[in-house]
Amino acid sequence: MRLLFAPILAGANLPDRLLACLGGVLGIALTSAISFWALGDATSLPLLVAPMGAAAVLVFAVPASPLAQPWSVVGGNIVSALVGVTAAKLVPVPHLAAGIAVGGAILAMSLLRCLHPPGGAAALTAVVGGPAVLSAGYGFAFVPVGINAVLLMVAGVLFHRFSGHSYPHRPVPVAPRAPLPVESVPHPEDLDRALEDLGETFDVSKEDLDLLFQRVEHHANERRARKRS
């Protein structure tokens, strides 16, 4: 039973999860407050859309994820909302329009290198969001979706200046970094072939994987050295 509650994220620990909770509180609260302050009663649309809740999980809980980076947050939500509005306008059958909106959003985000899971929700909202959303047309992708996404992304950048995480994420070598024997350092082509063998898409960049393998080899060398001494 205890295994059901074990962390499934590599590197997850209780202080980091609590920090992510705080980030979610501040990020969504600020996004909501600023959106209401800036837009007020200027629109009949909801001023905070549900996909931002899912985006906040990525930005604050897994800021190293390629799916959580600024272009993914902003581009993924806006592009997906535009696809959703297009599907709602061109497909008269709501059930089919909903499916096309989400599928089209996945394709568009993939091609534009801004894959972001909450984007699927943004696309779906454009179809099933009700009369106010439908009447807003393509404007819905920018108000409130675009404004919400930009505000949440900025909140993430500011928060992670103090969280100890890099955001936008950049793989940062851990110091001190002992030099490794050339033959022990994984070659990028080996990593590419290993990923092809597995046939899966992982929620981590190749640069982070390469850095992780180097640190594993570093600690393995240290352990072997301690055993010999």
Side-chain angles (χ1 to χ4, degrees):
M1 188 67 177
R2 182 181 176 185
L3 292 177
L4 293 176
F5 299 96
I8 59 174
L9 292 175
N13 54 58
L14 181 58
D16 205 42
R17 298 305 91 189
L18 293 176
L19 191 66
C21 291
L22 176 61
V25 170
L26 296 177
I28 291 297
L30 287 173
T31 299
S32 177
I34 296 176
S35 295
F36 274 77
W37 172 78
L39 301 176
D41 296 326
T43 175
S44 60
L45 291 167
L47 298 181
L48 182 67
V49 291
M52 294 305 113
V57 174
L58 289 170
V59 171
F60 297 104
V62 283
S65 169
L67 306 177
Q69 300 314 296
W71 170 234
S72 295
V73 175
V74 177
N77 278 295
I78 293 177
V79 167
S80 296
L82 290 172
V83 172
V85 171
T86 301
K89 286 180 174 292
L90 298 181
V91 182
V93 181
H95 307 297
L96 182 58
I100 290 175
V102 175
I106 293 173
L107 176 60
M109 288 188 290
S110 298
L111 294 176
L112 294 173
R113 299 172 59 86
C114 58
L115 191 63
H116 184 63
L124 188 59
T125 302
V127 177
V128 302
V133 172
L134 294 176
S135 64
Y138 290 106
F140 171 72
F142 303 99
V143 179
V145 173
I147 290 177
N148 286 174
V150 170
L151 290 172
L152 184 66
M153 178 271 293
V154 172
V157 171
L158 295 175
F159 180 81
H160 287 301
R161 286 178 177 265
F162 306 96
S163 71
H165 296 287
S166 65
Y167 186 81
H169 177 67
R170 297 291 184 272
V172 179
V174 179
R177 180 178 175 183
L180 299 176
V182 174
E183 63 273 11
S184 70
V185 179
H187 194 280
E189 290 184 5
D190 298 332
L191 181 57
D192 289 336
R193 294 191 65 180
L195 290 171
E196 290 176 4
D197 290 342
L198 294 175
E200 296 287 351
T201 299
F202 296 94
D203 190 11
V204 62
S205 69
K206 290 194 295 183
E207 292 78 11
D208 280 317
L209 282 175
D210 183 52
L211 179 59
L212 175 62
F213 293 151
Q214 292 187 36
R215 296 308 301 173
V216 168
E217 185 65 27
H218 167 76
H219 288 292
N221 287 338
E222 283 192 336
R223 177 173 47 80
R224 287 190 288 265
R226 287 195 301 269
K227 286 185 176 181
R228 288 194 297 266
S229 61

